[in-house]
């Protein structure tokens, strides 16, 4: 996600409204309600039930993400990770969301020019739309490498993890 002035062109309507408008003004109880509405936030349930819910929710995902979001091992990992992430409540996650849709306090174009940045975006991502990658790359200029793949939100990281990690390793 880039700075809020980029906008959300290309996002689905819940993300277009949620970022940068909804989450910015929504109270913390709304965040708790949001997280509890899906398998990853239902930490009151045993992981076996959460995994089943996760897979059921994943069946409605974008075609290019469905293989990930219906995979039992990925569901188990996601449920275990979010159980730990929400162990102390939901408010800190909601607070991160609130901060991410406000002015960053710096301009992307002011990031050091000698710091190479790899940007990976999916053409089919309706949560974090491609316009963010394009705008960030334009603002960073020659310090940015924008990779655009035929992926959706989860797929860009999961399907391309080997490439991402190899390029990250080469850049160190």
């Amino acid at each position: 996600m880039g700075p809020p002035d980029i906008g959300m062109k290309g996002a689905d309507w819940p993300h277009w409204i949620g970022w940068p408008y909804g989450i910015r003004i929504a109270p913390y109880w709304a965040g708790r309600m949001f997280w509890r509405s899906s398998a990853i936030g239902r930490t009151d349930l045993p992981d076996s039930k959460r995994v089943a819910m996760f897979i059921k929710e994943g069946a409605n995902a974008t075609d290019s993400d469905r293989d990930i979001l219906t995979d039992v091992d990925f569901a188990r990992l996601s449920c275990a990770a979010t159980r730990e992430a929400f162990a102390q409540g939901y408010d800190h996650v909601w607070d991160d969301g609130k901060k991410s849709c406000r002015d960053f306090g710096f301009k992307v174009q002011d990031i050091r020019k000698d710091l190479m940045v790899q940007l990976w975006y999916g053409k089919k991502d309706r949560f974090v739309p491609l316009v963010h990658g394009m705008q960030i790359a334009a603002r960073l200029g020659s310090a940015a490498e924008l990779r655009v793949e035929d992926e959706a939100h989860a797929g860009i990281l999961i399907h391309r993890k080997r490439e991402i990690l190899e390029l990250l390793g080469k850049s160190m």
Side-chain angles (χ1 to χ4, degrees):
M1 200 63 118
D5 68 300
I6 291 175
M8 292 298 287
K9 181 181 179 185
D12 61 11
W13 73 267
H15 289 88
W16 186 83
I17 292 169
W19 254 269
Y21 310 110
I23 197 170
R24 184 183 300 183
I25 60 171
Y28 286 91
W29 63 261
R32 290 187 291 274
M33 190 170 75
F34 169 78
W35 288 113
R36 290 178 184 151
S37 71
S38 69
I40 62 171
R42 291 296 309 271
T43 57
D44 58 311
L45 298 175
D47 278 1
S48 59
K49 287 190 178 184
R50 293 176 66 216
V51 166
M53 286 176 64
F54 187 97
I55 291 170
K56 186 176 180 181
E57 292 169 5
N60 297 319
T62 306
D63 288 347
S64 59
D65 278 354
R66 196 170 300 128
D67 67 314
I68 300 163
L69 300 178
T70 57
D71 179 78
V72 174
D73 292 330
F74 185 79
R76 284 186 186 128
L77 177 65
S78 296
C79 289
T82 55
R83 180 181 3 87
E84 294 302 319
F86 294 132
Q88 296 180 28
Y90 303 91
D91 292 0
H92 62 284
V93 180
W94 199 247
D95 196 46
D96 282 352
K98 284 181 168 293
K99 285 179 173 65
S100 73
C101 66
R102 292 196 172 117
D103 183 70
F104 288 1
F106 67 91
K107 302 230 180 285
V108 170
Q109 56 268 34
D110 293 337
I111 293 174
R112 291 183 359 223
K113 301 299 179 210
D114 64 325
L115 181 65
M116 295 305 297
V117 177
Q118 294 178 31
L119 302 163
W120 290 75
Y121 282 80
K123 292 178 192 175
K124 299 175 183 174
D125 193 338
R126 300 295 173 248
F127 294 10
V128 181
L130 177 57
V131 68
H132 280 256
M134 294 166 56
Q135 283 290 320
I136 293 168
R139 294 174 189 191
L140 289 172
S142 61
E145 179 184 344
L146 175 62
R147 294 280 305 260
V148 179
E149 303 293 343
D150 193 29
E151 297 285 356
H153 190 66
I156 194 69
L157 180 60
I158 303 301
H159 293 143
R160 305 294 176 160
K161 66 185 166 206
R162 180 176 297 274
E163 291 171 79
I164 292 169
L165 292 172
E166 285 174 354
L167 285 173
L168 183 60
K170 288 178 184 175
S171 70
M172 295 181 160

